Amino acid sequence: MILNRYERTIAKRYLLPGKGEGFIFLVASISLGAVALGVAALIIVMSVMNGFRAELFDKIVGLNGHAIVQGYEGRLTDWQRIADQARKVPGVTSALPLIAQPLMASANGRVEGVLVRGVRRQDLLANRTITSNIKSGDIRSLEPGSGRVAIGTRLAEQLGAYPGSEISLISPEGRATPVGTVPRIASYTVAATFEVGVYDYDNSFIIMPMEDAQNLLMMGDQVGMIEVMVTDPDKIQPQVAALQNIVAGKGAVVDWRSMNAALFEALEVERVAMFVVLSLIILVAVFNILSSLIMLVRAKTRDIAILRTMGASRHGMMKVFVTVGTIIGSLGIVLGLIIGAIFLFFRQSVVNGIQFLTGQNLWDPSVRFLSELPSKTDPFEVTAIVVLALLLSFLSTLYPAWKAASTDPVQVLRYE
């Protein structure tokens, strides 16, 4: 929509407050602010929801893999062959043996349920999810036969155990005696603590060398599962089908969607629902634009009639008022983008500040899984939000513009 010189002049004049038009300007300013808040709210919420999904996916997959080959009864005997064949499947990047067993841990008179994970030393040192989140101690000291383990920071707080402390692991699969089965108890030294940022993991995980886990659980050379990573986790079905053929009769294959289906589906539903609900803020804002333009048309009826007698066309009048409303919406969108970017940049500081002022813990990791407010802005979603706001702003100008173009100069100026 291209405006000629006089139309641009009129549009500029109507955007600025004239004598006795302060109220109209105030309503237009409120409309601009409402659009800005709506756009900012949508960008902030969608970025945080995307951040939740990305952080949870990275950390959960970093510890559990994209798929798990689980042996029946929790054991795989010929895991070396299965791992070798799994690595040959197109799209599979790695297949690593793993032991995961729920046990009990005790230290300083405290007892907690834990999940013991046995991994090969080279695989542990290559896992960035663990090695990049060591809070104390030295993860490299976990060597087979050393009697050392690494535990999550939350678990360390619960047990009062830190690097150098002794903890005992209690396995119900003990040895048979004349009086029954005696649980197996083994003592280990805490070598390091880690915090991956997922509360359930930091509160329960104990990591030890594969050989030590096999000895503790009396598994011999067996492992519990094989962790599989692929190139494209969103299109993992072909790899899962191939792995099921490899492990047929000896185990089952579970991908990351099945392992965390309830969590990720809930996040997706909430994400869509929040987008729809918050879009109503923009819809309310454009109604303000509609009302401010209607008042402007009413206030400028005499001016419009004079312009029409001087040769201004109906189409030209429509373009003027469409431009005025669209500019108000566009300025609101730009301001909303700026507000959203600033909030996301300082998001954790904002949360900490609100917690300090209210004295309430707004970000309890035991409820929200993650220890910090995440954010991941999707350029395509931002573009969709901008287009939606711009389209609604444009549509809200059509009726006032049509009313302005329909002004009959004869009727308006009859008694002038």
Side-chain angles (χ1 to χ4, degrees), residues 284-297:
V284 172
V286 299
F287 274 114
N288 288 335
I289 295 177
L290 173 65
S291 61
S292 65
L293 286 180
I294 290 175
M295 286 189 292
L296 182 62
V297 170

mmCIF file with all atom_site columns, all heavy atoms in Angstrom, residues 284-297:
data_model
loop_
_atom_site.group_PDB
_atom_site.id
_atom_site.type_symbol
_atom_site.label_atom_id
_atom_site.label_alt_id
_atom_site.label_comp_id
_atom_site.label_asym_id
_atom_site.label_entity_id
_atom_site.label_seq_id
_atom_site.pdbx_PDB_ins_code
_atom_site.Cartn_x
_atom_site.Cartn_y
_atom_site.Cartn_z
_atom_site.occupancy
_atom_site.B_iso_or_equiv
_atom_site.pdbx_formal_charge
_atom_site.auth_seq_id
_atom_site.auth_comp_id
_atom_site.auth_asym_id
_atom_site.auth_atom_id
_atom_site.pdbx_PDB_model_num
ATOM 1   N N   . VAL A 1 284 ? -7.319  -8.395 22.124 1.00 0.00 ? 284 VAL A N   1
ATOM 2   C CA  . VAL A 1 284 ? -7.868  -7.306 22.930 1.00 0.00 ? 284 VAL A CA  1
ATOM 3   C C   . VAL A 1 284 ? -7.182  -5.983 22.583 1.00 0.00 ? 284 VAL A C   1
ATOM 4   O O   . VAL A 1 284 ? -7.822  -4.926 22.507 1.00 0.00 ? 284 VAL A O   1
ATOM 5   C CB  . VAL A 1 284 ? -7.708  -7.620 24.429 1.00 0.00 ? 284 VAL A CB  1
ATOM 6   C CG1 . VAL A 1 284 ? -8.095  -6.416 25.280 1.00 0.00 ? 284 VAL A CG1 1
ATOM 7   C CG2 . VAL A 1 284 ? -8.562  -8.824 24.811 1.00 0.00 ? 284 VAL A CG2 1
ATOM 8   N N   . ALA A 1 285 ? -5.872  -6.048 22.357 1.00 0.00 ? 285 ALA A N   1
ATOM 9   C CA  . ALA A 1 285 ? -5.117  -4.837 22.027 1.00 0.00 ? 285 ALA A CA  1
ATOM 10  C C   . ALA A 1 285 ? -5.586  -4.227 20.708 1.00 0.00 ? 285 ALA A C   1
ATOM 11  O O   . ALA A 1 285 ? -5.725  -2.991 20.595 1.00 0.00 ? 285 ALA A O   1
ATOM 12  C CB  . ALA A 1 285 ? -3.629  -5.152 21.968 1.00 0.00 ? 285 ALA A CB  1
ATOM 13  N N   . VAL A 1 286 ? -5.860  -5.054 19.720 1.00 0.00 ? 286 VAL A N   1
ATOM 14  C CA  . VAL A 1 286 ? -6.286  -4.497 18.433 1.00 0.00 ? 286 VAL A CA  1
ATOM 15  C C   . VAL A 1 286 ? -7.703  -3.944 18.516 1.00 0.00 ? 286 VAL A C   1
ATOM 16  O O   . VAL A 1 286 ? -8.075  -3.058 17.722 1.00 0.00 ? 286 VAL A O   1
ATOM 17  C CB  . VAL A 1 286 ? -6.171  -5.543 17.300 1.00 0.00 ? 286 VAL A CB  1
ATOM 18  C CG1 . VAL A 1 286 ? -4.734  -6.001 17.134 1.00 0.00 ? 286 VAL A CG1 1
ATOM 19  C CG2 . VAL A 1 286 ? -7.086  -6.731 17.531 1.00 0.00 ? 286 VAL A CG2 1
ATOM 20  N N   . PHE A 1 287 ? -8.505  -4.415 19.452 1.00 0.00 ? 287 PHE A N   1
ATOM 21  C CA  . PHE A 1 287 ? -9.810  -3.784 19.674 1.00 0.00 ? 287 PHE A CA  1
ATOM 22  C C   . PHE A 1 287 ? -9.619  -2.352 20.179 1.00 0.00 ? 287 PHE A C   1
ATOM 23  O O   . PHE A 1 287 ? -10.421 -1.462 19.875 1.00 0.00 ? 287 PHE A O   1
ATOM 24  C CB  . PHE A 1 287 ? -10.643 -4.596 20.657 1.00 0.00 ? 287 PHE A CB  1
ATOM 25  C CG  . PHE A 1 287 ? -11.424 -5.707 20.006 1.00 0.00 ? 287 PHE A CG  1
ATOM 26  C CD1 . PHE A 1 287 ? -11.147 -7.039 20.276 1.00 0.00 ? 287 PHE A CD1 1
ATOM 27  C CD2 . PHE A 1 287 ? -12.432 -5.412 19.106 1.00 0.00 ? 287 PHE A CD2 1
ATOM 28  C CE1 . PHE A 1 287 ? -11.855 -8.051 19.668 1.00 0.00 ? 287 PHE A CE1 1
ATOM 29  C CE2 . PHE A 1 287 ? -13.172 -6.427 18.494 1.00 0.00 ? 287 PHE A CE2 1
ATOM 30  C CZ  . PHE A 1 287 ? -12.871 -7.742 18.777 1.00 0.00 ? 287 PHE A CZ  1
ATOM 31  N N   . ASN A 1 288 ? -8.564  -2.143 20.955 1.00 0.00 ? 288 ASN A N   1
ATOM 32  C CA  . ASN A 1 288 ? -8.241  -0.776 21.385 1.00 0.00 ? 288 ASN A CA  1
ATOM 33  C C   . ASN A 1 288 ? -7.864  0.096  20.194 1.00 0.00 ? 288 ASN A C   1
ATOM 34  O O   . ASN A 1 288 ? -8.210  1.278  20.127 1.00 0.00 ? 288 ASN A O   1
ATOM 35  C CB  . ASN A 1 288 ? -7.101  -0.791 22.401 1.00 0.00 ? 288 ASN A CB  1
ATOM 36  C CG  . ASN A 1 288 ? -7.537  -1.330 23.754 1.00 0.00 ? 288 ASN A CG  1
ATOM 37  O OD1 . ASN A 1 288 ? -8.701  -1.265 24.091 1.00 0.00 ? 288 ASN A OD1 1
ATOM 38  N ND2 . ASN A 1 288 ? -6.596  -1.854 24.504 1.00 0.00 ? 288 ASN A ND2 1
ATOM 39  N N   . ILE A 1 289 ? -7.098  -0.500 19.255 1.00 0.00 ? 289 ILE A N   1
ATOM 40  C CA  . ILE A 1 289 ? -6.766  0.240  18.033 1.00 0.00 ? 289 ILE A CA  1
ATOM 41  C C   . ILE A 1 289 ? -8.047  0.583  17.275 1.00 0.00 ? 289 ILE A C   1
ATOM 42  O O   . ILE A 1 289 ? -8.223  1.704  16.773 1.00 0.00 ? 289 ILE A O   1
ATOM 43  C CB  . ILE A 1 289 ? -5.812  -0.589 17.143 1.00 0.00 ? 289 ILE A CB  1
ATOM 44  C CG1 . ILE A 1 289 ? -4.468  -0.795 17.842 1.00 0.00 ? 289 ILE A CG1 1
ATOM 45  C CG2 . ILE A 1 289 ? -5.603  0.105  15.790 1.00 0.00 ? 289 ILE A CG2 1
ATOM 46  C CD1 . ILE A 1 289 ? -3.498  -1.659 17.062 1.00 0.00 ? 289 ILE A CD1 1
ATOM 47  N N   . LEU A 1 290 ? -8.957  -0.378 17.197 1.00 0.00 ? 290 LEU A N   1
ATOM 48  C CA  . LEU A 1 290 ? -10.232 -0.150 16.523 1.00 0.00 ? 290 LEU A CA  1
ATOM 49  C C   . LEU A 1 290 ? -10.997 1.002  17.168 1.00 0.00 ? 290 LEU A C   1
ATOM 50  O O   . LEU A 1 290 ? -11.478 1.909  16.471 1.00 0.00 ? 290 LEU A O   1
ATOM 51  C CB  . LEU A 1 290 ? -11.060 -1.437 16.576 1.00 0.00 ? 290 LEU A CB  1
ATOM 52  C CG  . LEU A 1 290 ? -12.499 -1.366 16.058 1.00 0.00 ? 290 LEU A CG  1
ATOM 53  C CD1 . LEU A 1 290 ? -12.518 -1.078 14.564 1.00 0.00 ? 290 LEU A CD1 1
ATOM 54  C CD2 . LEU A 1 290 ? -13.238 -2.662 16.361 1.00 0.00 ? 290 LEU A CD2 1
ATOM 55  N N   . SER A 1 291 ? -11.079 0.995  18.494 1.00 0.00 ? 291 SER A N   1
ATOM 56  C CA  . SER A 1 291 ? -11.837 2.047  19.176 1.00 0.00 ? 291 SER A CA  1
ATOM 57  C C   . SER A 1 291 ? -11.169 3.408  19.028 1.00 0.00 ? 291 SER A C   1
ATOM 58  O O   . SER A 1 291 ? -11.851 4.430  18.833 1.00 0.00 ? 291 SER A O   1
ATOM 59  C CB  . SER A 1 291 ? -11.989 1.706  20.657 1.00 0.00 ? 291 SER A CB  1
ATOM 60  O OG  . SER A 1 291 ? -10.726 1.618  21.291 1.00 0.00 ? 291 SER A OG  1
ATOM 61  N N   . SER A 1 292 ? -9.838  3.456  19.089 1.00 0.00 ? 292 SER A N   1
ATOM 62  C CA  . SER A 1 292 ? -9.146  4.739  18.940 1.00 0.00 ? 292 SER A CA  1
ATOM 63  C C   . SER A 1 292 ? -9.316  5.298  17.535 1.00 0.00 ? 292 SER A C   1
ATOM 64  O O   . SER A 1 292 ? -9.484  6.515  17.346 1.00 0.00 ? 292 SER A O   1
ATOM 65  C CB  . SER A 1 292 ? -7.660  4.591  19.269 1.00 0.00 ? 292 SER A CB  1
ATOM 66  O OG  . SER A 1 292 ? -7.010  3.736  18.339 1.00 0.00 ? 292 SER A OG  1
ATOM 67  N N   . LEU A 1 293 ? -9.323  4.439  16.518 1.00 0.00 ? 293 LEU A N   1
ATOM 68  C CA  . LEU A 1 293 ? -9.527  4.918  15.149 1.00 0.00 ? 293 LEU A CA  1
ATOM 69  C C   . LEU A 1 293 ? -10.958 5.390  14.933 1.00 0.00 ? 293 LEU A C   1
ATOM 70  O O   . LEU A 1 293 ? -11.204 6.357  14.201 1.00 0.00 ? 293 LEU A O   1
ATOM 71  C CB  . LEU A 1 293 ? -9.182  3.801  14.156 1.00 0.00 ? 293 LEU A CB  1
ATOM 72  C CG  . LEU A 1 293 ? -7.690  3.496  13.962 1.00 0.00 ? 293 LEU A CG  1
ATOM 73  C CD1 . LEU A 1 293 ? -7.514  2.366  12.964 1.00 0.00 ? 293 LEU A CD1 1
ATOM 74  C CD2 . LEU A 1 293 ? -6.939  4.731  13.475 1.00 0.00 ? 293 LEU A CD2 1
ATOM 75  N N   . ILE A 1 294 ? -11.909 4.710  15.537 1.00 0.00 ? 294 ILE A N   1
ATOM 76  C CA  . ILE A 1 294 ? -13.305 5.153  15.418 1.00 0.00 ? 294 ILE A CA  1
ATOM 77  C C   . ILE A 1 294 ? -13.467 6.544  16.019 1.00 0.00 ? 294 ILE A C   1
ATOM 78  O O   . ILE A 1 294 ? -14.131 7.427  15.444 1.00 0.00 ? 294 ILE A O   1
ATOM 79  C CB  . ILE A 1 294 ? -14.245 4.142  16.099 1.00 0.00 ? 294 ILE A CB  1
ATOM 80  C CG1 . ILE A 1 294 ? -14.301 2.848  15.289 1.00 0.00 ? 294 ILE A CG1 1
ATOM 81  C CG2 . ILE A 1 294 ? -15.650 4.727  16.250 1.00 0.00 ? 294 ILE A CG2 1
ATOM 82  C CD1 . ILE A 1 294 ? -15.114 1.747  15.932 1.00 0.00 ? 294 ILE A CD1 1
ATOM 83  N N   . MET A 1 295 ? -12.853 6.761  17.192 1.00 0.00 ? 295 MET A N   1
ATOM 84  C CA  . MET A 1 295 ? -12.921 8.093  17.810 1.00 0.00 ? 295 MET A CA  1
ATOM 85  C C   . MET A 1 295 ? -12.214 9.128  16.947 1.00 0.00 ? 295 MET A C   1
ATOM 86  O O   . MET A 1 295 ? -12.658 10.267 16.835 1.00 0.00 ? 295 MET A O   1
ATOM 87  C CB  . MET A 1 295 ? -12.298 8.040  19.208 1.00 0.00 ? 295 MET A CB  1
ATOM 88  C CG  . MET A 1 295 ? -13.169 7.343  20.241 1.00 0.00 ? 295 MET A CG  1
ATOM 89  S SD  . MET A 1 295 ? -12.545 7.533  21.921 1.00 0.00 ? 295 MET A SD  1
ATOM 90  C CE  . MET A 1 295 ? -11.060 6.565  21.829 1.00 0.00 ? 295 MET A CE  1
ATOM 91  N N   . LEU A 1 296 ? -11.092 8.716  16.325 1.00 0.00 ? 296 LEU A N   1
ATOM 92  C CA  . LEU A 1 296 ? -10.369 9.650  15.464 1.00 0.00 ? 296 LEU A CA  1
ATOM 93  C C   . LEU A 1 296 ? -11.210 10.025 14.245 1.00 0.00 ? 296 LEU A C   1
ATOM 94  O O   . LEU A 1 296 ? -11.259 11.210 13.846 1.00 0.00 ? 296 LEU A O   1
ATOM 95  C CB  . LEU A 1 296 ? -9.041  9.016  15.019 1.00 0.00 ? 296 LEU A CB  1
ATOM 96  C CG  . LEU A 1 296 ? -8.144  9.883  14.141 1.00 0.00 ? 296 LEU A CG  1
ATOM 97  C CD1 . LEU A 1 296 ? -7.717  11.153 14.877 1.00 0.00 ? 296 LEU A CD1 1
ATOM 98  C CD2 . LEU A 1 296 ? -6.914  9.103  13.689 1.00 0.00 ? 296 LEU A CD2 1
ATOM 99  N N   . VAL A 1 297 ? -11.885 9.042  13.674 1.00 0.00 ? 297 VAL A N   1
ATOM 100 C CA  . VAL A 1 297 ? -12.741 9.327  12.519 1.00 0.00 ? 297 VAL A CA  1
ATOM 101 C C   . VAL A 1 297 ? -13.875 10.274 12.914 1.00 0.00 ? 297 VAL A C   1
ATOM 102 O O   . VAL A 1 297 ? -14.205 11.224 12.187 1.00 0.00 ? 297 VAL A O   1
ATOM 103 C CB  . VAL A 1 297 ? -13.308 8.011  11.937 1.00 0.00 ? 297 VAL A CB  1
ATOM 104 C CG1 . VAL A 1 297 ? -14.392 8.308  10.888 1.00 0.00 ? 297 VAL A CG1 1
ATOM 105 C CG2 . VAL A 1 297 ? -12.190 7.192  11.320 1.00 0.00 ? 297 VAL A CG2 1
#
